[in-house]
Amino acid sequence: MALLDIQDLSVSFETRFGKQMAVDGYGLSLERGEIHGLVGESGAGKSTVGAAILGLLPGGGQIEGGSIRLDGRELVDLSQRDWHRLRGAKISMIFQDPQTSLNPLLTIEEQLVETILTHTKLSEAKAKTRALSLLEEVGIRDAAARIADYPHQFSGGMRQRVVIALALCSEPDLIIADEPTTALDVAVQKQVLALIRRLATKRGVGVLLITHDMGVIAEITDTVSVLRDGRLVEAGETNRVLGAPSAPYSRSLIASVPRVEKKVARFPQLSDAGPRRGARSDLAQRGAEWLLSRPGAGSKREGDILDLQGLSVSFRSGGGLFRQSRVVRAVKDVGLRLAVGETLGLVGESGSGKSTIAKALVGVHKAQAGALRYFGRPLALTEKRPARDPSRREIQMIFQDPYSSLNNRWKVGAIVSEPLRFHGLCKNRREAAAITTSMLALVGMDPDAVGKYPHQFSGGQRQRIAIARALAARPALMICDEPTSALDVSVQAQILNLLKDIQDRFGLAILFISHDLPVVRQMSDRVAVMQNGVLVEEGAADAFYKSPRHDYSRMLLAQTPSLDKLADPQILAAQTVA
Amino acid sequence: MISLLAGRLAQSIFVMLAVAALAFALFRFVGDPVAQMVGQETAIEDQERLREQLGLNDPAPVQFLRFLGDMATADFGYSYRTRQPIGEMILSRLPATLELAFVSLIISLLIGVPAGIYTAIHPRRAASSAILLTTLAGISAPTFVIGIGLITLFGVQLGWLPTFGRGETVTLGWWKSNLFTLDGWRSLILPALTLGVYQLTLTLRLVRSEMLEVMRTDYLKFAVARGLDWRAIHYRHAFKNTLAPVVTIVGLQFGGVIAFAVVTESVFQWPGMGLLFLDSIRYVDIPVMSVYLVLIGFLFVLVNLVVDILYLVIDPRIRARAEG
């Protein structure tokens, strides 16, 4: 008998617009020691399945039908009281963000012992011994000393290990892991995934791993099911589904995952999600002409657009009126070069100083030391660049989170046309409106977007608007700081293709900042690697991915979840078209 | 930790200096003290001599420094009105106000905190809505209306409780207390309730909204997913995490209760500092007013210092920052 047997599960949510089905007829069978991956894009209903198994659906959520059996016992009809007795005892959960899933006011020991005492009849002393051995089992070094620490004294990866130890306290049969490694750096992700694999095999625990990350699925799952809009698209053994997907949706979903092994000219896209062209191509054409007709475009500026040397940035952190603040050296003596029309990928783990470099380049952070030349002309690395300096217009930035980078109280038209007005790029209102709609057309948005507010658009559409805003300034250099890490793979493919198109047509230079090595490979001509504020390696992208020179780069590449099980994207793309 | 407390202490001293400057400004700008003190027949020369004796002819900074020195050494001077030492007047009134404030704070906490927790844990029950509605009425009605309402009901209609004064008190050294006799408690209960209603509502609503906030956090969801006892989830995990803001507001409230006891004390003719302050205003008794101001400021600062120390006890993260 399967450990977990879900059949025809349907979950609905009460919304303003009536009842909506979040999960519709989902089924799954999971054995002990098996890791099942539940994959899909945002809004597919993955997390809802997990919450339904725990009986913790958020407000308004309701199981409409179907059955969830754990060891043959039906869960759907359980009373809240019985369900709560099951939680922790038989089913445990691992949450996404280890920064927020531990109680900040209790020590690790208090939280572990409390959980152990709830589920077992051990004495307090025995529970403490047990807590210690659990911490050792999940790989906390020096556990005996660290057990009395508070959560804030652990790093992200260590906290996630503590979370896993907490989930294991009661020796559950089933663990639901909802994006357990999304908030972690690749090296830590690899370790945590290996830990989950080891525990599942050793303890015979069934794991339901919910994620949007195909790399994670390929890395540790035995079986997988692909969800779309609450419906099961395809299920089966991971090797089979990822290697030879049968459903068109899973084919195109897998095809849009960037590969670290090879570079493709364009990302294959989900067949029905591409930007609408056709009727609006006249507008886009006009936009392209406007961008190409920029004054001075004839007298081609050659050579390096950016030449940065010896950049050091530090900030003060903490401190108050009467307290000494600490100085954090975020970037130490970094030099970068960027040629016209070139893309430089800047990679590194969180806290390595990537974004700080971007902010110093646009003059948001003051640099302590360093010299910047922009087309050979010195440019101050402070906040005090003159407002009318051409570099202020020609260097544009695209941010990670499209939900906070657009002013929610402005209409899209005002947002996109702001650079036009500020930099005086148009003669009058009519011209500004025309350019605005053509910029939006260029990024694949309808002209009627002008009258709407940002909240009316999805994440991918917002990122397009942000790109349109950057383009309206007629930039020569775009600094993209994790431009797609908040987006689903299919949307990511669209945005990255768009950036490539724009670069090809208008000869933009791009500084592409990302922690995602496969994405960087697809985008970059050259790659620079940052570690703890220091530039450790820089060189041509192809050579870098084939044979990285620095140990740290080798480690990063090795830890990136491998997708070599997946079918070749070009073949998949061909299948999709056919 | 020492440096954090030292920093807070230095801030407190700044605040006290500012309060003292305000209190001192009263002397300079509210009427002429000499004209207040002497009769119309006093000769100009005598008035001048008095002015010289009191040091009113010295430059303002010198006078301010002298004022600071007096305040710091608890040498509060004499009242214009009663000619008594202000220190003694305040001391005789202080216990009444402190007891009133303390009891009303206890009432507000004993009812407000459990009711806040209840309404947060069971947001949809009818009892929760009833509690919220009742206390909304409590917070909307002005203090004196509530006071008069309570007097009318319990003092006049039912005749259960006295309507004014402290009743029977027990003297412990210089401290006259209501807390040791039944009659004392009977007199205390109405004013304490009147003063406490507003604080009660504030505490209740704060506890409720903070609890609801904490219940939405991942660590609370994780605690539920681990199947811990609901009691442990609600109290050990949720309530403990609401303590820091609650302690802040309760601390501020205690200062506020003492300061705003003025209205309640006047409704119930409660012989505390608030009543003394009202009388002083009526007779433009500037020294008493300024000492009252300084003392209230001092109490506020003291309470806030205690709150800061409580923070360190509650939250290990603040402790870590203080040590680091």
Side-chain angles (χ1 to χ4, degrees):
Chain A
M1 183 172 50
L3 170 65
L4 178 69
D5 186 28
I6 301 180
Q7 275 174 13
D8 205 25
L9 177 70
S10 297
V11 180
S12 72
F13 277 92
E14 208 68 60
T15 69
R16 267 193 310 152
F17 313 105
K19 206 177 255 185
Q20 292 194 334
M21 298 303 277
V23 176
D24 197 354
Y26 179 72
L28 158 77
S29 173
L30 178 71
E31 301 290 342
R32 286 172 191 280
E34 176 184 342
I35 300 182
H36 182 90
L38 189 52
V39 70
E41 300 190 274
S42 50
K46 314 182 290 287
S47 295
T48 308
V49 171
I53 297 170
L54 271 168
L56 288 177
L57 286 172
Q62 198 189 337
I63 295 180
E64 287 285 310
S67 96
I68 304 172
R69 282 172 190 279
L70 185 73
D71 258 341
R73 182 176 175 200
E74 179 59 62
L75 302 187
V76 170
D77 324 317
L78 284 185
S79 70
Q80 270 306 317
R81 181 176 298 236
D82 288 339
W83 217 321
H84 190 67
R85 219 168 273 153
L86 215 65
R87 286 197 277 266
K90 297 267 177 205
I91 316 170
S92 253
M93 178 137 190
I94 300 169
F95 283 82
Q96 171 172 355
D97 190 353
Q99 306 292 339
T100 59
S101 49
L102 295 170
N103 188 336
L105 301 188
L106 298 178
T107 63
I108 302 301
E109 180 172 30
E110 286 170 320
Q111 304 193 39
L112 282 162
V113 167
E114 171 190 44
T115 313
I116 293 170
L117 289 179
T118 308
H119 295 291
T120 61
K121 293 198 171 66
L122 292 179
S123 68
E124 182 137 357
K126 286 233 174 82
K128 282 184 178 173
T129 325
R130 174 84 179 281
L132 192 61
S133 70
L134 272 172
L135 279 188
E136 280 162 358
E137 188 175 351
V138 297
I140 303 275
R141 254 165 292 160
D142 202 8
R146 307 242 31 206
I147 193 166
D149 283 350
Y150 288 94
H152 67 86
Q153 291 163 293
F154 290 86
S155 69
M158 286 296 139
R159 280 195 215 193
Q160 197 63 311
R161 286 168 192 267
V162 173
V163 168
I164 293 172
L166 273 167
L168 290 173
C169 273
S170 50
E171 312 209 317
D173 300 321
L174 172 68
I175 293 181
I176 297 165
D178 194 348
E179 305 273 7
T181 56
T182 308
L184 305 175
D185 280 326
V186 278
V188 185
Q189 161 167 305
K190 182 113 176 171
Q191 294 162 11
V192 169
L193 289 178
L195 173 66
I196 294 177
R197 173 81 265 177
R198 187 157 53 79
L199 292 170
T201 313
K202 191 176 123 202
R203 293 177 163 247
V205 178
V207 178
L208 181 63
L209 186 97
I210 299 166
T211 184
H212 71 284
D213 189 334
M214 284 292 180
V216 171
I217 295 286
E219 185 96 12
I220 67 161
T221 62
D222 303 304
T223 52
V224 64
S225 48
V226 182
L227 267 185
R228 185 191 200 188
D229 297 335
R231 279 171 223 259
L232 183 63
V233 174
E234 183 167 4
E237 292 204 358
T238 303
N239 286 340
R240 206 275 299 155
V241 174
L242 296 195
S246 57
Y249 174 76
S250 19
R251 260 208 303 274
S252 53
L253 186 66
I254 292 163
S256 38
V257 177
R259 305 304 156 82
V260 77
E261 298 86 10
K262 62 178 297 192
K263 185 166 179 170
V264 294
R266 285 183 66 81
F267 292 96
Q269 293 183 343
L270 289 187
S271 31
D272 56 346
R276 267 169 291 168
R277 295 250 163 87
R280 289 290 146 211
S281 63
D282 54 326
L283 268 179
Q285 183 57 36
R286 211 181 304 151
E289 279 163 18
W290 180 76
L291 280 178
L292 288 170
S293 73
R294 63 165 163 243
S299 63
K300 268 208 169 157
R301 293 189 283 187
E302 292 289 342
D304 288 348
I305 185 166
L306 273 190
D307 184 4
L308 177 69
Q309 278 171 2
L311 177 73
S312 291
V313 184
S314 46
F315 356 73
R316 302 188 165 278
S317 96
L321 195 50
F322 296 98
R323 247 152 31 85
Q324 192 69 41
S325 54
R326 256 175 320 202
V327 174
V328 178
R329 297 190 63 197
V331 176
K332 300 166 207 161
D333 195 23
V334 167
L336 287 175
R337 226 169 25 74
L338 187 57
V340 173
E342 184 189 43
T343 302
L344 173 65
L346 191 57
V347 299
E349 298 185 284
S350 52
S352 61
K354 309 184 297 282
S355 296
T356 310
I357 293 181
K359 285 177 185 158
L361 284 176
V362 294
V364 178
H365 272 326
K366 188 176 170 349
Q368 267 62 41
L372 174 64
R373 285 181 172 273
Y374 178 74
F375 282 119
R377 185 170 58 83
L379 201 58
L381 281 165
T382 63
E383 304 94 328
K384 288 175 187 137
R385 281 181 203 165
R388 299 294 159 195
D389 191 294
S391 70
R392 290 280 292 260
R393 174 177 67 72
E394 289 173 1
I395 303 178
Q396 289 294 318
M397 195 152 174
I398 295 166
F399 296 89
Q400 171 173 4
D401 182 5
Y403 291 91
S404 60
S405 64
L406 302 176
N407 187 339
N408 281 317
R409 287 163 205 276
W410 281 20
K411 286 182 177 165
V412 169
I415 291 172
V416 175
S417 65
E418 191 190 20
L420 296 173
R421 285 177 277 130
F422 180 76
H423 295 293
L425 293 175
C426 54
K427 289 186 212 71
N428 52 39
R429 226 172 255 259
R430 257 222 340 262
E431 197 185 342
I435 297 172
T436 302
T437 48
S438 64
M439 285 302 112
L440 286 168
L442 205 58
V443 296
M445 302 276 297
D446 278 338
D448 62 358
V450 167
K452 294 183 184 168
Y453 287 95
H455 71 85
Q456 292 169 281
F457 295 96
S458 69
Q461 288 172 317
R462 282 167 183 242
Q463 203 62 304
R464 287 169 187 275
I465 294 168
I467 294 174
R469 172 177 63 182
L471 284 177
R474 279 183 169 165
L477 166 66
M478 289 243 245
I479 297 175
C480 306
D481 190 356
E482 304 269 9
T484 58
S485 60
L487 307 174
D488 280 325
V489 276
S490 61
V491 184
Q492 164 173 292
Q494 295 166 27
I495 297 289
L496 294 180
N497 280 341
L498 175 66
L499 282 174
K500 281 188 163 192
D501 286 350
I502 291 168
Q503 179 171 39
D504 289 347
R505 292 174 75 177
F506 310 118
L508 287 176
I510 295 182
L511 178 63
F512 193 91
I513 298 168
S514 177
H515 70 284
D516 190 331
L517 285 168
V519 167
V520 171
R521 164 145 225 196
Q522 307 309 320
M523 296 301 292
S524 315
D525 304 309
R526 284 187 304 123
V527 176
V529 184
M530 296 282 298
Q531 182 190 19
N532 298 331
V534 180
L535 187 75
V536 296
E537 175 166 2
E538 199 238 311
D542 284 337
F544 170 81
Y545 280 92
K546 283 200 187 78
S547 53
R549 293 191 307 270
H550 195 275
D551 285 345
Y552 179 70
S553 321
R554 263 195 289 276
M555 190 276 289
L556 275 185
L557 274 172
Q559 309 288 13
T560 302
S562 166
L563 290 114
D564 48 16
K565 285 177 190 164
L566 309 194
D568 188 290
Q570 308 286 11
I571 297 171
L572 280 168
Q575 284 175 343
T576 311
V577 173
Chain B
M1 186 157 321
I2 303 288
S3 74
L4 183 96
L5 288 183
R8 288 282 187 272
L9 212 59
Q11 285 175 359
S12 308
I13 290 171
F14 268 127
V15 173
M16 282 317 298
L17 281 178
V19 171
L22 273 179
F24 177 70
L26 275 180
F27 277 105
R28 315 246 339 139
F29 300 119
V30 183
D32 177 8
V34 174
Q36 302 282 338
M37 292 166 78
V38 299
Q40 282 189 330
E41 295 82 29
T42 314
I44 301 286
E45 299 81 59
D46 288 345
Q47 289 193 18
E48 247 344 287
R49 197 154 33 82
L50 193 57
R51 216 177 277 280
E52 193 61 43
Q53 265 178 11
L54 291 172
L56 293 174
N57 289 335
D58 293 340
V62 175
Q63 288 192 46
F64 181 55
L65 281 180
R66 194 184 309 132
F67 177 77
L68 282 183
D70 288 349
M71 288 294 145
T73 53
D75 180 4
F76 297 137
Y78 291 85
S79 158
Y80 290 164
R81 179 169 61 99
T82 63
R83 317 275 158 163
Q84 282 177 316
I86 297 174
E88 278 175 27
M89 290 168 74
I90 299 264
L91 268 191
S92 71
R93 301 292 195 107
L94 190 66
T97 297
L98 282 185
E99 282 185 1
L100 176 63
F102 191 67
V103 170
S104 76
L105 190 76
I106 296 287
I107 290 176
S108 73
L109 287 182
L110 280 185
I111 303 175
V113 171
I117 295 175
Y118 180 86
T119 51
I121 295 176
H122 309 290
R124 285 178 200 181
R125 286 205 191 154
S128 296
S129 314
I131 290 173
L132 288 176
L133 265 177
T134 323
T135 52
L136 187 64
I139 208 169
S140 314
T143 311
F144 67 90
V145 172
I146 295 174
I148 292 169
L150 288 175
I151 288 177
T152 317
L153 183 63
F154 292 102
V156 181
Q157 302 281 333
L158 299 170
W160 292 351
L161 297 166
T163 56
F164 69 90
R166 284 187 83 177
E168 194 184 332
T169 55
V170 175
T171 311
L172 305 165
W174 55 272
W175 187 288
K176 277 201 205 160
S177 176
N178 272 51
L179 305 178
F180 297 99
T181 60
L182 184 65
D183 189 56
W185 274 101
R186 275 163 41 91
S187 304
L188 184 57
I189 198 78
L190 281 189
L193 210 57
T194 309
L195 194 54
V197 163
Y198 184 81
Q199 326 301 328
L200 187 158
T201 311
L202 208 61
T203 310
L204 186 154
R205 288 183 174 254
L206 185 74
V207 169
R208 175 174 173 274
S209 66
E210 289 292 329
M211 276 282 271
L212 287 175
E213 190 74 29
V214 174
M215 307 273 249
R216 277 195 290 271
T217 58
D218 279 354
Y219 58 83
L220 243 276
K221 288 184 196 153
F222 189 34
V224 175
R226 290 206 302 277
L228 299 182
D229 285 342
W230 283 108
R231 180 190 289 272
I233 291 171
H234 289 149
Y235 295 95
R236 238 168 100 82
H237 290 271
F239 181 59
K240 203 173 172 195
N241 273 288
T242 66
L243 273 182
V246 171
V247 164
T248 315
I249 297 297
V250 168
L252 285 177
Q253 273 182 29
F254 186 65
V257 164
I258 292 171
F260 298 121
V262 174
V263 176
T264 310
E265 287 186 6
S266 111
V267 170
F268 288 92
Q269 285 300 300
W270 187 263
M273 295 207 304
L275 214 53
L276 177 69
F277 182 61
L278 278 186
D279 287 342
S280 309
I281 291 179
R282 194 173 304 145
Y283 296 104
V284 204
D285 198 346
I286 295 164
V288 178
M289 283 155 64
S290 60
V291 168
Y292 178 81
L293 201 61
V294 170
L295 274 183
I296 292 290
F298 182 68
L299 275 172
F300 258 100
V301 165
L302 204 65
V303 167
N304 275 306
L305 210 59
V306 172
V307 166
D308 281 335
I309 294 168
L310 280 179
Y311 266 17
L312 292 176
V313 177
I314 294 170
D315 197 330
R317 287 165 298 181
I318 298 177
R319 216 146 58 214
R321 239 177 287 152
E323 279 156 9

